Amino acid sequence: MESLSLYELNALVRRGLEQSMPGEYWIQAELSDVRTNASGHCYLEFVQKDARGDKLVAKARGMVWSNIYRLLKPYFEETTGQAFTSGIKVLVKVSVQFHELYGYSLTVLDIDPAYTLGDMARRRKEILRQLEEEGVLTLNKELEMPLLPQRVAVVSSVTAAGYEDFCHQLRHNAYGFYFRAELFPAVMQGEQVEESVLSALDRINARLSEFDVVVIIRGGGATSDLSGFDTYMLAAACAQYPLPIIVGIGHERDDTVLDFVAHTRVKTPTAAAELLISRMLETAYHLEELSAHLRQSALSLLEQERRRLAAVRERIPSLAARQLSEARLSLLAVSKDMAKASLSLLTRQAHRLELLKQRIEDASPDKLLKRGYSITLKDGKVVKDASALKEGDSLVTRLSKGEVHSVVQNL
């Protein structure tokens, strides 16, 4: 029986592929396991997943030669604002290769950034639509920006020039406004953006009462590093965050999902600082207007009271004269009433005295004696009880006219 070595079989496969697929093909796939070697060649995998899930339905090894990769990568990233990295969907032109040792692979010859842009836009729309269906898309935008946003929690990279620009702008504002900015370090580019920024937001949330606003900024980064801000988890967290979030992570022509859900979106860290300064200035102007209005109201009230006091002062003499006249008339009336009342009282008391006098006169001993009564005295004292007497006592009986002296016998 005739047999082939493995090499011979693979050689037949290679020649068969070269003959049956000699051309170049545009394919749609997702990048996976993207890496480069010291020579500048890029090695990766192309994968395709089930439309209804994440199950792999196809996979192929791919590569981009260094002479093509050094042109293709910056072109793609500059056009899309997306890093040429794992997890993105691409439309690439490839040639089919088969090597006896390394097997089947696809060699990348060209790329169409428009396809990736469309996929990125579609993913953003899906995230925004999901947030809207959940009712959280505009929650952060609906928060009221504090009148004095002085306590600022900053999410940025420790070494970011944008953070220094932001702080410098706040510290040296032309109006002398005071700001306290505290940095919560986070990775602002690469695959760790989502996890790092979410961690920083959690740390701020643990000290929520200490801050007025949150500012997420980065400066000097490539537009291709913005993909980390286009994730559902980060967008949902920011949309529902309890403090207003100001985002300054992109460039003039770049939009991320985070830009759509944040309270306010600016383009640069400096612009974020200017926003806070302008809010303070707006409040300061309003306070000055209130102060001027208060001063004017106070002056107006003082003038009104001065005129009222002047009018009262002018009326005092006539009011005093009228009060004195009314008091005089009242005193005269009272005087007459008192005289009349006194005379009536005296009359009543005189009559009462007369009655008392009559009663006293009627009860006097002399008057009783004249009526035929007599008074018996012993030793000058009136005798009221016969048992108090004894034989031999001398008695004096006083009559209306004269006295009778007697001695007690036969008790």
Side-chain angles (χ1 to χ4, degrees):
M1 181 177 59
E2 185 177 357
S3 63
L4 297 173
S5 67
L6 177 60
Y7 178 83
E8 290 172 333
L9 179 61
N10 284 351
L12 286 175
V13 173
R14 178 175 61 80
R15 287 194 295 271
L17 284 175
E18 289 175 350
Q19 292 172 3
S20 61
M21 304 183 68
E24 299 167 349
Y25 304 90
W26 285 97
I27 66 165
Q28 303 169 7
E30 180 179 322
L31 298 184
S32 176
D33 194 22
V34 179
R35 62 191 187 281
T36 57
N37 64 8
S39 300
H41 305 309
C42 176
Y43 297 92
L44 50 89
E45 282 191 342
F46 294 108
V47 298
Q48 181 178 342
K49 298 176 182 178
D50 188 342
R52 292 172 294 182
D54 290 333
K55 182 180 179 182
L56 289 180
V57 296
K59 181 168 71 172
R61 187 167 53 86
M63 72 167 300
V64 191
W65 297 113
S66 61
N67 61 326
I68 295 178
Y69 186 65
R70 65 171 173 263
L71 299 175
L72 181 145
K73 182 177 184 293
Y75 165 63
F76 174 83
E77 293 183 346
E78 183 178 351
T79 304
T80 63
Q82 166 70 58
F84 189 82
T85 187
S86 301
I88 63 171
K89 292 185 178 180
V90 294
L91 177 63
V92 290
K93 181 192 285 188
V94 299
S95 62
V96 180
Q97 306 290 328
F98 189 88
H99 191 274
E100 288 83 354
L101 179 59
Y102 301 111
Y104 168 71
S105 68
L106 303 175
T107 301
V108 178
L109 305 173
D110 200 358
I111 192 167
D112 184 0
Y115 175 83
T116 304
L117 283 172
D119 181 67
M120 292 166 58
R122 180 188 57 78
R123 282 193 299 166
R124 290 191 187 109
K125 287 181 179 179
E126 288 177 354
I127 293 173
L128 294 174
R129 182 171 62 250
Q130 183 176 352
L131 293 174
E132 186 173 14
E133 290 174 353
E134 294 170 355
V136 301
L137 180 63
T138 61
L139 288 183
N140 198 258
K141 293 181 180 295
E142 293 168 7
L143 296 177
E144 185 175 355
M145 180 67 71
L147 294 175
L148 300 172
Q150 295 176 286
R151 303 175 302 166
V152 186
V154 184
V155 179
S156 186
S157 171
V158 176
T159 58
Y163 171 65
E164 292 300 325
D165 293 341
F166 174 81
C167 292
H168 181 272
Q169 193 76 5
L170 290 184
R171 283 194 299 266
H172 299 90
N173 70 86
Y175 310 100
F177 297 140
Y178 169 76
F179 292 91
R180 180 177 69 82
E182 181 175 343
L183 177 65
F184 290 81
V187 176
M188 303 304 285
Q189 59 184 15
E191 297 180 358
Q192 298 179 347
V193 167
E194 179 187 52
E195 179 183 356
S196 182
V197 174
L198 285 174
S199 175
L201 291 175
D202 286 340
R203 295 197 301 276
I204 296 170
N205 191 65
R207 299 166 52 194
L208 203 62
S209 62
E210 300 178 28
F211 301 101
D212 302 313
V213 293
V214 175
V215 175
I216 302 176
I217 53 176
R218 69 169 208 153
T223 59
S224 60
D225 293 324
L226 293 174
S227 58
F229 300 97
D230 272 330
T231 68
Y232 168 78
M233 291 298 295
L234 183 56
C238 290
Q240 300 174 81
Y241 209 69
L243 291 178
I245 293 179
I246 300 171
V247 172
I249 58 174
H251 300 277
E252 193 61 39
R253 62 185 180 84
D254 301 311
D255 294 314
T256 67
V257 174
L258 198 58
D259 291 321
F260 286 103
V261 301
H263 183 283
T264 306
R265 174 249 187 117
V266 295
K267 285 302 179 181
T268 63
T270 301
E274 287 295 340
L275 176 66
L276 296 176
I277 295 169
S278 66
R279 180 63 171 174
M280 293 282 288
L281 185 60
E282 179 183 343
T283 303
Y285 283 152
H286 183 58
L287 288 175
E288 287 180 358
E289 290 176 357
L290 291 176
S291 177
H293 178 71
L294 179 62
R295 181 176 181 276
Q296 185 59 41
S297 297
L299 290 175
S300 177
L301 182 60
L302 287 173
E303 179 60 23
Q304 179 181 342
E305 290 301 307
R306 187 191 65 76
R307 290 195 298 266
R308 189 178 70 83
L309 288 174
V312 170
R313 184 176 59 191
E314 292 176 358
R315 293 171 56 195
I316 285 176
S318 60
L319 289 172
R322 187 173 70 183
Q323 290 292 329
L324 288 173
S325 178
E326 291 177 354
R328 189 179 295 110
L329 291 175
S330 297
L331 287 173
L332 289 174
V334 170
S335 176
K336 291 180 179 179
D337 291 342
M338 288 181 65
K340 185 177 180 180
S342 299
L343 182 59
S344 176
L345 179 61
L346 287 173
T347 301
R348 289 195 304 272
Q349 294 300 324
H351 179 67
R352 182 169 173 271
L353 288 173
E354 187 64 31
L355 291 176
L356 290 173
K357 176 184 176 184
Q358 185 64 42
R359 291 175 62 185
I360 291 172
E361 289 178 351
D362 290 343
S364 68
D366 291 338
K367 202 162 188 177
L368 291 173
L369 291 174
K370 288 179 180 180
R371 292 179 182 175
Y373 293 99
S374 64
I375 300 173
T376 300
L377 304 173
K378 176 189 175 186
D379 299 329
K381 296 181 180 179
V382 176
V383 177
K384 298 180 179 180
D385 186 358
S387 62
L389 300 175
K390 62 182 181 292
E391 291 184 4
D393 286 341
S394 297
L395 302 177
V396 178
T397 301
R398 188 175 294 170
L399 304 175
S400 175
K401 291 181 179 182
E403 296 178 347
V404 175
H405 293 267
S406 59
V407 175
V408 177
Q409 294 178 353
N410 301 326
L411 288 176

